[in-house]
Amino acid sequence: MTLSVLVPILQDIWRAAPQPQQPDHPIALILALGFMGLGAILVFHGMWTWLSALDSLSARIDEHQQRAQEDHLKERRLRTMMQHAPESIVVLDAEADCLVEVNPAAETLFQYSSDQLVNKKTLWQLSPPLQPCGTPSKDLMEKYLKQAIDGAYPVFEWLHHNAKGEPLDCEVTLAQLPSADQMLIRGTIVDISKRRAEAQERENLLLQLAASHKLESVGQLTGGIAHDFNNLLAVIVGNLELLRENITEVDQISLIDAGIDAALHGADLTKNMLAFARKSPLAPAELDLNKIIRSTKNWAGRTLPASVEMETSLLAGLWLVKADPSSTESALLNLLLNAHDAMPDGGRVTIETANVRIDEDYISSRQEDLSPGRYVMLAVSDTGIGIPQELLDTVFDPFFTTKSPGKGTGLGLSMVMGFMHQSGGTVRVYSEPGVGTTFKLYFKALGSDNEESPETMSHIAPNTTGETRVLVAEDQEQVLDIIVATLTKAGYNVIAAKSGDDAYALFEANNDIDVLLTDIVMPGSRHGPALARDLRQLRPDLPVVFMSGYASEATVHGNGLRPEDIRLMKPVRRAQLLEAIKKATS
């Protein structure tokens, strides 16, 4: 019987019993003892209940402390793993859109300290404005974060930037972390730049191997049939010529001549195939490509229609090369004819030369079989119909042509490629449909015999009179300072301008200028050629010396450069600069 039942019964007995008049009455004693026993029972029960509750509470406290210790141990282990992980790990508060924790590997990757990252940066702020796919970094990262919040584990490639602004090719994995009061996302970031570079290198090697095998196959085929094929053509041509001597009818002579021309054309095809396979004998000699271009322009220009305009931009002080003169002229003529065919409605052809230096990065990025060093570039540009991007990699393949049947053999460009490779150089093509095409030939330059030595540079006589006034337009302040100092020390009166617009204003204020020295590419409304054109409207005979940072700057159609203008390639040596100014003012 429980206390909740016993107490009401005792209360009913007490009320029903006769009330004794004396305290020592037996009934009173019995009732008193009963109530005393009941009180003792109540007190004992309360103490028992309290002790039981106390034991339960103590057990719960012990359990809670044990769980807290286990959680703390887990947290320490996770933090230790995070701090010593080789991968960069960050924790992002998705609601506050900021990083709340980063490990040392992330600090090393981004080159920011933890204080510079936590509560101050988020993942898309450590990225360029646009990802390589063209999507804004912020929008794309929000998409991946939403996937992680929804329970997914997105893994994606991402372009980050470090504190120096250098690109970082990364692989990012996102996952939501359990949290009661925050929406935390863990990001694991792995730098895959080295992996991607190795993959690109393997791809480049495979492409070079495939190109080498293709070239070797063509070479074996050509070398095997060239000798016998030329012997057959010799027999055909010889017999046709003998037959022609005994024929008097004009119609028959015409047929024989057509046969002879066709046989000779077949011999040319064999020669082109041998050149592509690098088996054609060459007679290399020291060449000044500027002289080759001037000579070819004189006679080839007369064969082009009046609708095709030809311009040249030839670098003063061009390095000498060693190449076969006949094959060089043939390659140039081939490019000029291709330019003409690409402009059925007329246009402009520009021939340009420049001294360039090719380094290992250029070679590896373009899969070139070249040695680093100095090269002379010969470029032929047209304003024609252009070549579709998907065809650029095949234009040098043997027998490939975009011309209609009967108008091209498809061996012209392959012959150019073979000749350039056989000469230790290469050829590149750049094109944009509807704008035009540029073919650039790179010839290996000879040694430094044709460059000014330090002794020669130091013995150039300065212009001590100070009467020659040079207007210098250069937007790079450090370059401008060096040029001004060099010319001033040489005795020239120098007027400096930081843009084409400034130079034009200075010339208007004082047009007593003997020569303009200008960079080709500058900010403002007047780049170098535009500045020269505007100043020559004020003084048509103004000599101009152009400077350019890279070769393609002058291959801009309608650039306004005159054939007699001098153009220098940066970095400009002191001797080259002084010689160019002296030549322009003489």
Side-chain angles (χ1 to χ4, degrees), residues 21 32 53 86 121 163 192 257 322 325 373 376 398 402 434 473 516 521 533-534:
Q21 300 296 321
K121 297 284 187 182
I192 60 172
D257 287 342
K322 193 168 186 178
V376 176
T402 58
L516 169 65
V521 176
R533 182 175 59 248
D534 292 346

Side-chain angles (χ1 to χ4, degrees), residues 5 172 220 277 304 373 467:
V5 176
V172 181
Q220 291 175 348
L304 298 177
E467 295 177 355

Side-chain angles (χ1 to χ4, degrees), residues 223-296:
I225 68 173
H227 183 268
D228 292 338
F229 188 63
N230 281 335
N231 282 339
L232 293 175
L233 292 175
V235 173
I236 294 172
V237 172
N239 281 284
L240 288 175
E241 289 178 339
L242 290 174
L243 181 62
R244 190 181 189 283
E245 293 180 358
N246 300 322
I247 299 296
T248 57
E249 295 183 12
V250 176
D251 293 340
Q252 293 182 355
I253 292 177
S254 177
L255 293 175
I256 293 174
D257 287 342
I260 294 174
D261 290 341
L264 294 177
H265 185 59
D268 289 337
L269 292 180
T270 306
K271 180 180 178 182
N272 291 339
M273 293 175 66
L274 287 170
F276 174 79
R278 309 185 196 184
K279 296 180 179 294
S280 178
L282 300 178
E286 289 188 3
L287 295 180
D288 180 351
L289 290 181
N290 285 347
K291 292 183 179 179
I292 295 287
I293 292 171
R294 293 189 186 101
S295 174
T296 303

Side-chain angles (χ1 to χ4, degrees), residues 132-154:
C133 63
T135 304
S137 296
K138 182 178 180 181
D139 297 343
L140 196 57
M141 183 56 69
E142 288 178 352
K143 169 188 171 183
Y144 290 127
L145 289 174
K146 186 178 184 303
Q147 292 178 3
I149 293 171
D150 292 340
Y153 298 90

Side-chain angles (χ1 to χ4, degrees), residues 471-481 483-484 495-500 503 517-523 531 547-549 570:
L471 175 59
V472 181
E474 169 60 60
D475 63 298
Q476 297 294 325
E477 185 173 354
Q478 292 180 338
V479 177
L480 179 62
D481 292 341
I483 293 173
V484 170
I495 302 173
K498 295 183 179 180
S499 69
L517 174 63
T518 178
D519 192 10
I520 288 183
V521 176
M522 291 186 295
L531 172 63
M547 298 179 296
S548 60
K570 295 178 181 178

